[in-house]
């Protein structure tokens, strides 16, 4: 969360009553911009008014009276019908709003609850939250009224956040003639007790004030100070709503005066200045009518929940603005409209969420813990993409692009800012990266004709992202365990050369029976079959395993590998070069320092490597930025990295995704930005940025080639690892298909060797006249060798 500056002292807060509005707006907007940048959030929601009955008699509200001929409660079928419509429309939030304890006042409520099998409204609410979660995956936010700690705690298990408007701290409004007369749940001390109990239970909470119901400006400030005090103690207030009273017919306050726009703007600005900067300030756009864009002038950073399928049941006479209209107004103000979850970033982790809610958040969120902008995951066909956002680039992003293009090393915060680009800024970052690609690499798109040989899928490690390896208890994952005979390795190498291949890429699991001699024998088998074939093999993890089993230093073992025919190393096993992430996704694997040490050792003995990043799971843009900086610094020291390869996490069969720990891979926006940011952040140290057709498919690769990438990797011939994780893009992209894709972008294809050398015409011709692959032989491990297993990977 954002570091808090010293709070505005109470006397200074009260002095805002007389502050001129123009200066107040300027100050509030500056605080907002410092805390939230250009992001203006909103929540795609469905509004579920479980009951519109209430025991309170607030003079401005229509919820309190029964409607003749209507049920007191939505039925389960009605709840599901609305929730499913919202899920189909791309909503992430199920907003349950209801009156306070109607069963204490209305016989109809008691009767219907009994028919539904529940004793209280809160019992029924809990059941409906569970139903919506189970059937739709929507994330509930509940506005359930005044509650005690036990009720808050049980609803915490079925919702990501809860809410209760404080409204006011003016007790006098509960006296006869006041807006809260005969409304026992509107006593300020009672409502503050509920908000406090939520803090004690670590429930992310929404509250707010209602202005224009008879309170003074000084009383509004008192209410904001009370909210601030609770947040200072518990840190749970995620959002404060400044809601303006709008008169409704058939209520006691139907003829009451409403706050004017200046009064609303003053209150919003005061809220922004009084509240801590990590607390969102929201004002409902539909209650400001056509003047809603002006609310941004006062420092709001959120529009609240807006539904594409349901009305605002509290204010049905004032529809929400359409999302396109909201986006246009937001971008006209120089801000970026960002969909969020019902719970804000900063309150999405296990400290704040029940274990049952965390998988819902992971499935619905992007890397910044906002709502996913698409339903796509890497490895799946890319659906049609919306038209690119048009508009001017944010000044800060424009400066970062210019600095990177000039060769200045961007720091961690700079790179995080690139990854945070939204709306038109995404297009500007990608265009800036592509301009740099054109300046440094021209219009050629390179590729290599190669073959993957994954020699075993048996592995002593249990990485959470890997659906390929077979350890104890892993037979439920795709495929059977195997450990290739050297004769099969040699056969595949020979076939690769016959089909125009210039490289074999060999990697596998860390087989507990393997030693450093095993890897040397693998090299020997390939070199005996095809002496001229380049061997690109062994991740840093395998190299360390081999060295340790032989008692050799890294440099000595790498020297032996090189002498045996190793030509270069894949910079895989990098995942995210930050131990905060590695401790979650691969705790028993080599750490960041060990990966860097191994790759630098390879460079020191004259072996080139690639460098990779596997992103889109439990990581964040800050982790990505640290990864890029560590790779850049390594290259500055050793100069041995040939290309940088972003590898989007494929979640479909990955164990940590199946357990609900990981996100569903990066969004496509994040994929584009990773390639673009890598181009900008690694310049001028690394000039080749590769994009993975296996993870992204032809359409995804095309977008990345137009956003900073210059290399499409290898034809592969056999691809096992991504397909084991659920990718659907096939096991080979022949040279002619790669060339067709590249030419379709107006670019020039160029077949390269592993180390970016030229390929002779005869070899190139073999690649374009290749016979179909022979079925591979997957040699079972010795304990399974009852019969030979033959399969086409």
């Amino acid at each position: 969360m954002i570091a808090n500056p010293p709070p505005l002292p109470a006397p200074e807060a009260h002095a805002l009553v007389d502050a001129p509005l123009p200066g107040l707006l300027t100050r509030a907007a500056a605080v907002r911009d410092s805390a939230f940048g250009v992001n203006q959030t909103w929540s795609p929601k469905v509004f579920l008014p479980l009951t519109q009955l209430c025991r309170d008699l607030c003079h401005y509200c229509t919820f309190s009276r029964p409607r003749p001929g209507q049920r007191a409660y939505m039925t389960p079928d009605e709840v599901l019908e609305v929730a499913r419509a919202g899920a189909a429309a791309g909503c992430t939030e199920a907003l349950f709003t209801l009156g306070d304890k109607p069963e204490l006042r209305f016989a109809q409520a008691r009767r219907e609850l009994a028919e539904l099998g529940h004793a209280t409204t809160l019992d029924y609410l809990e059941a409906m939250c569970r139903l919506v979660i189970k059937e739709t995956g929507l994330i509930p936010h509940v506005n359930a009224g005044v509650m005690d700690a036990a009720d808050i705690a049980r609803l915490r298990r079925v919702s990501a956040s809860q809410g209760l408007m404080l409204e006011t701290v003016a007790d006098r409004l509960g006296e006869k003639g006041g807006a809260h007369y005969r409304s026992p749940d509107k006593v300020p001390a009672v409502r503050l007790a509920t908000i406090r109990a939520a803090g004690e239970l670590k429930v992310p909470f929404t509250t707010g004030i209602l202005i224009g119901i008879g309170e003074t400006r000084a009383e509004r400030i008192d209410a904001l100070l009370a909210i601030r005090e609770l947040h200072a103690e518990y840190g749970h207030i995620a959002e404060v709503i400044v809601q303006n009273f709008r008169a409704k017919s058939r209520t006691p306050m139907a003829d009451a005066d409403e706050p004017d726009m200046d009064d609303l703007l003053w209150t919003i600005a005061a809220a922004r200045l009084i509240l801590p900067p990590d607390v969102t300030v929201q004002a409902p756009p539909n209650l400001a009518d056509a003047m809603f864009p002006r609310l941004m002038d006062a420092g709001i950073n959120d529009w609240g929940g807006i539904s594409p399928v349901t009305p605002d049941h509290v204010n049905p006479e004032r529809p929400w603005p359409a999302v396109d209209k909201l986006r246009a107004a937001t971008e006209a103000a120089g801000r970026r409209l960002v969909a969020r979850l019902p719970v804000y970033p900063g309150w999405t982790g296990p400290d704040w969420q029940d274990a049952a809610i965390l998988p819902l958040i992971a499935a619905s969120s992007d890397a910044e813990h906002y709502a996913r902008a698409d339903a796509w995951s890497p490895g799946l066909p890319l659906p049609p993409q919306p038209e690119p956002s048009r508009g001017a680039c944010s000044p800060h992003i424009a400066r970062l692009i210019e600095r990177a293009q000039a060769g200045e090393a961007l720091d961690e915060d700079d790179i995080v800012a690139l990854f945070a680009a939204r709306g038109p800024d995404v297009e500007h970052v990608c265009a800036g990266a592509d301009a740099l690609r054109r300046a440094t690499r021209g219009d050629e798109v390179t590729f290599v004709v190669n073959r993957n040989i994954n020699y075993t899928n048996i592995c002593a490690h249990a990485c959470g992202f890997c659906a390929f390896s077979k350890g104890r208890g892993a037979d439920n994952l795709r495929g059977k365990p195997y450990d290739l005979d050297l004769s099969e390795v040699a056969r595949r190498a020979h076939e690769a050369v016959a089909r125009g291949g210039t490289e074999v890429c060999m990697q596998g699991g860390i087989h507990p029976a393997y030693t450093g001699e095993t890897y040397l024998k693998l090299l020997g088998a390939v070199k005996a079959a095809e002496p001229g074939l380049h061997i690109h093999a062994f991740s840093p993890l395998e190299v360390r395993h081999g060295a340790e089993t032989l008692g050799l230093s890294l440099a000595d073992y790498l020297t032996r590998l090189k002498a045996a025919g190793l030509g270069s190393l894949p910079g895989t096993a990098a995942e995210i070069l930050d131990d905060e992430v590695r401790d979650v996704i691969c705790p028993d694997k080599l750490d960041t320092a060990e990966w860097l040490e191994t790759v630098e050792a390879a460079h020191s003995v004259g072996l080139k490597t690639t460098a990779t990043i596997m992103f889109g799971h439990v990581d964040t843009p800050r982790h990505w930025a640290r990864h890029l900086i560590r790779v850049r610094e390594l290259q500055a020291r050793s100069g041995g990295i040939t290309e940088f390869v972003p590898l989007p996490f494929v979640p479909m069969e990955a164990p940590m995704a199946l357990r609900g720990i990981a996100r569903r891979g990066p969004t496509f926006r994040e994929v584009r930005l990773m390639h673009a940011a890598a181009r900008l952040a690694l310049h001028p140290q690394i000039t080749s940025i590769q994009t993975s057709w296996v993870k992204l498919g032809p359409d995804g690769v095309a977008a990345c080639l137009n956003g900073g990438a210059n290399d499409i990797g290898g034809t592969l011939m056999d691809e096992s690892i991504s397909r084991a994780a659920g990718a659907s893009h096939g096991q080979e992209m022949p040279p002619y298909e790669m060339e067709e894709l590249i030419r379709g972008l107006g670019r020039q294809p160029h077949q390269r060797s592993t180390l970016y050398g030229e390929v002779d015409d005869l070899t190139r011709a073999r690649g374009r006249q290749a016979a179909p692959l022979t079925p591979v032989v997957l040699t079972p491990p010795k304990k399974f060798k009852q019969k030979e297993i033959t399969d086409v990977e």
Side-chain angles (χ1 to χ4, degrees):
M1 288 186 227
I2 301 154
N4 292 355
L8 197 66
E12 292 184 28
H14 276 287
L16 298 177
V17 168
D18 299 317
L21 183 59
L24 202 65
L25 298 181
T26 300
R27 290 170 58 193
V31 170
R32 184 265 321 276
D33 293 346
S34 176
F36 296 97
V38 297
N39 285 352
Q40 188 77 20
T41 50
W42 70 291
S43 178
K45 73 176 182 185
V46 288
F47 198 132
L48 294 161
L50 195 61
T51 177
Q52 296 190 45
L53 297 184
C54 182
R55 74 162 177 168
D56 297 313
L57 292 168
C58 301
H59 290 192
Y60 46 78
C61 184
T62 61
F63 258 42
S64 62
R65 52 174 58 102
R67 291 156 175 78
Q70 292 187 11
R71 289 182 55 85
Y73 294 89
M74 296 178 72
T75 66
D77 286 345
E78 289 170 338
V79 169
L80 274 184
E81 181 181 6
V82 175
R84 284 171 173 152
C91 297
T92 54
E93 175 181 353
L95 171 64
F96 283 93
T97 295
L98 49 151
D100 252 293
K101 307 173 191 66
E103 66 272 22
L104 299 182
R105 180 180 169 197
F106 298 103
Q108 180 186 355
R110 294 190 292 272
R111 184 170 58 253
E112 287 189 23
L113 283 172
E115 292 170 357
L116 291 164
H118 297 281
T120 69
T121 298
L122 294 182
D123 291 343
Y124 186 45
L125 171 62
E126 181 183 7
M128 291 302 95
C129 286
R130 292 189 189 280
L131 181 66
V132 165
I133 289 171
K134 178 183 177 182
E135 296 295 330
T136 71
L138 292 179
I139 305 172
H141 169 91
V142 295
N143 293 334
V146 168
M147 294 182 286
D148 61 21
D151 285 329
I152 294 170
R154 63 170 167 153
L155 290 177
R156 186 183 189 273
R157 295 190 288 269
V158 294
S159 64
S161 55
Q162 299 182 34
L164 177 72
M165 292 287 285
L166 174 58
E167 297 195 9
T168 183
V169 292
D171 288 306
R172 61 184 180 81
L173 295 184
E175 298 170 359
K176 189 172 183 178
H180 290 155
Y181 180 56
R182 297 177 64 194
S183 301
D185 298 299
K186 293 301 175 78
V187 173
V190 172
R191 298 179 86 77
L192 287 167
T194 295
I195 300 171
R196 177 179 294 278
E200 292 170 347
L201 291 166
K202 297 191 76 67
V203 173
F205 211 77
T206 292
T207 188
I209 61 175
L210 179 60
I211 70 169
I213 57 172
E215 80 298 339
T216 66
R217 283 189 172 185
E219 288 167 336
R220 295 177 196 172
I221 290 173
D222 286 337
L224 293 168
L225 290 171
I227 293 168
R228 186 177 78 181
E229 182 179 342
L230 287 171
H231 182 68
E233 188 170 357
Y234 301 108
H236 68 308
I237 305 295
E239 170 186 66
V240 170
I241 302 170
V242 177
Q243 182 170 333
N244 51 313
F245 160 73
R246 300 304 301 259
K248 295 179 177 59
S249 60
R250 300 189 303 279
T251 65
M253 293 180 66
D255 297 322
D257 291 336
E258 299 175 342
D260 62 20
M261 179 56 70
D262 282 356
D263 196 22
L264 176 58
L265 294 176
W266 176 89
T267 310
I268 294 169
R272 181 65 284 164
L273 294 173
I274 292 169
L275 296 168
D278 63 332
V279 174
T280 280
V281 174
Q282 178 204 123
N286 57 319
L287 300 187
D289 300 327
M291 293 188 289
F292 77 86
R294 292 192 61 194
L295 302 177
M296 289 182 284
D297 298 341
I300 66 165
N301 62 284
D302 186 79
W303 292 118
I306 294 175
S307 179
V309 296
T310 55
D312 179 351
H313 288 280
V314 176
N315 300 282
E317 74 283 1
R318 288 187 164 81
W320 287 300
V323 174
D324 287 346
K325 185 176 181 180
L326 200 68
R327 178 174 289 106
T330 301
E331 292 185 352
R335 301 183 61 71
R336 302 293 181 250
L337 188 66
V338 181
R340 61 167 172 86
L341 303 178
V343 61
Y344 284 86
W347 289 270
T348 57
D351 289 346
W352 291 99
Q353 297 296 330
D354 188 83
I357 299 299
L358 288 171
L360 298 175
I361 292 173
S364 301
S365 64
D366 67 13
E368 295 179 274
H369 303 289
Y370 293 116
R372 289 187 72 88
D374 54 45
W376 170 83
S377 289
L380 298 177
L382 186 69
Q385 295 298 293
E387 286 294 315
S389 298
R390 306 296 181 189
C393 187
S394 299
H396 180 54
I397 295 294
R399 286 192 296 271
L400 292 178
I401 295 169
E402 291 171 2
R403 287 169 51 204
Q405 290 174 334
E408 183 177 337
L410 301 182
D411 66 20
E412 185 177 309
D413 287 343
D414 294 335
I415 300 170
V416 170
L418 291 178
F419 285 127
R422 305 268 175 172
D425 288 342
V426 174
E427 307 308 321
H428 287 284
V429 170
C430 291
D434 209 42
L436 182 57
R437 181 271 308 162
R438 192 175 299 108
T440 55
R441 302 291 300 201
D443 281 333
E444 279 190 349
V445 176
T446 49
F447 65 94
V448 61
V449 178
N450 66 348
R451 181 169 200 168
N452 272 13
I453 302 178
N454 301 121
Y455 37 80
T456 184
N457 64 352
I458 299 170
C459 188
H461 295 276
C463 300
F465 54 83
C466 184
F468 169 73
S469 68
K470 295 291 173 185
R472 186 172 297 172
D475 277 354
N476 62 308
L477 301 179
R478 288 190 174 194
K480 291 293 183 182
Y482 67 83
D483 182 12
L484 297 186
D485 283 335
L486 293 180
S487 60
E488 172 64 9
V489 173
R491 186 197 69 78
R492 295 193 196 186
H494 182 72
E495 186 177 37
V497 171
R499 300 180 86 248
T502 59
E503 169 199 306
V504 287
C505 178
M506 297 200 301
Q507 297 181 90
I510 304 300
H511 194 303
Y514 277 20
T515 70
E517 292 294 341
T518 309
Y519 302 119
L520 292 166
K521 290 176 182 177
L522 285 163
L523 294 172
V526 172
K527 283 300 180 182
E530 292 292 343
L533 185 59
H534 183 99
I535 304 177
H536 182 67
F538 312 137
S539 72
L541 179 62
E542 291 164 288
V543 170
R544 292 188 79 90
H545 176 69
E548 288 167 2
T549 58
L550 298 182
L552 297 175
S553 70
L554 287 170
D556 287 345
Y557 185 57
L558 284 160
T559 299
R560 286 191 63 182
L561 292 172
K562 183 179 179 183
L566 181 63
S568 58
L569 285 79
T572 50
E575 325 315 351
I576 297 292
L577 293 176
D578 191 294
D579 289 340
E580 186 174 80
V581 175
R582 301 180 80 82
D583 287 347
V584 176
I585 68 172
C586 51
D588 59 347
K589 209 169 185 176
L590 77 175
D591 63 23
T592 297
E594 290 169 336
W595 189 93
L596 293 168
E597 178 191 27
T598 307
V599 173
E600 192 160 6
H603 298 168
S604 74
V605 302
L607 288 167
K608 299 288 188 182
T609 74
T610 63
T612 63
I613 183 171
M614 194 274 293
F615 65 105
H617 33 84
V618 302
D619 45 353
T620 69
R622 190 157 298 278
H623 297 127
W624 304 343
R626 293 171 185 166
H627 184 110
L628 291 175
I629 289 170
R630 286 166 180 153
V631 169
R632 184 179 69 198
E633 291 173 345
L634 170 61
Q635 180 74 340
R637 293 193 303 271
S638 65
I641 298 173
T642 55
E643 71 245 33
F644 182 74
V645 189
L647 300 172
F649 170 58
V650 177
M652 282 73 79
E653 300 290 340
M656 65 182 180
L658 295 176
R659 294 197 301 268
I661 297 170
R663 301 190 301 279
R664 294 189 288 110
T667 65
F668 192 58
R669 168 190 151 271
E670 291 166 349
V671 167
R672 294 179 64 204
L673 286 173
M674 177 60 74
H675 290 78
R679 168 66 65 190
L680 295 167
L682 298 177
H683 176 69
Q685 300 293 344
I686 298 174
T687 63
S688 186
I689 307 298
Q690 186 181 116
T691 183
S692 170
W693 64 266
V694 175
K695 315 284 188 183
L696 300 177
D699 292 337
V701 160
C704 293
L705 288 173
N706 283 329
N710 64 283
D711 187 84
I712 200 170
T715 57
L716 298 185
M717 298 191 198
D718 297 300
E719 199 291 318
S720 303
I721 295 173
S722 295
R723 288 187 297 118
S728 61
H729 294 305
Q731 66 178 27
E732 180 178 26
M733 181 180 283
Y736 69 86
E737 287 188 14
M738 285 194 166
E739 292 175 342
E740 182 179 344
L741 170 63
I742 294 164
R743 288 194 178 101
L745 299 174
R747 305 269 283 279
Q748 181 62 41
H750 184 85
Q751 184 178 339
R752 61 171 174 86
S753 69
T754 305
L755 301 180
Y756 288 79
E758 295 299 319
V759 177
D760 65 80
D761 290 343
L762 181 59
T763 300
R764 292 178 67 253
R766 284 203 303 269
R768 286 146 187 81
Q769 300 164 7
L773 283 166
T774 303
V776 298
V777 176
L778 298 178
T779 317
K782 290 185 173 58
K783 70 174 183 177
F784 294 116
K785 273 191 178 176
Q786 294 89 3
K787 63 185 181 71
E788 188 179 67
I789 299 173
T790 302
D791 190 17
V792 177
E793 285 187 307

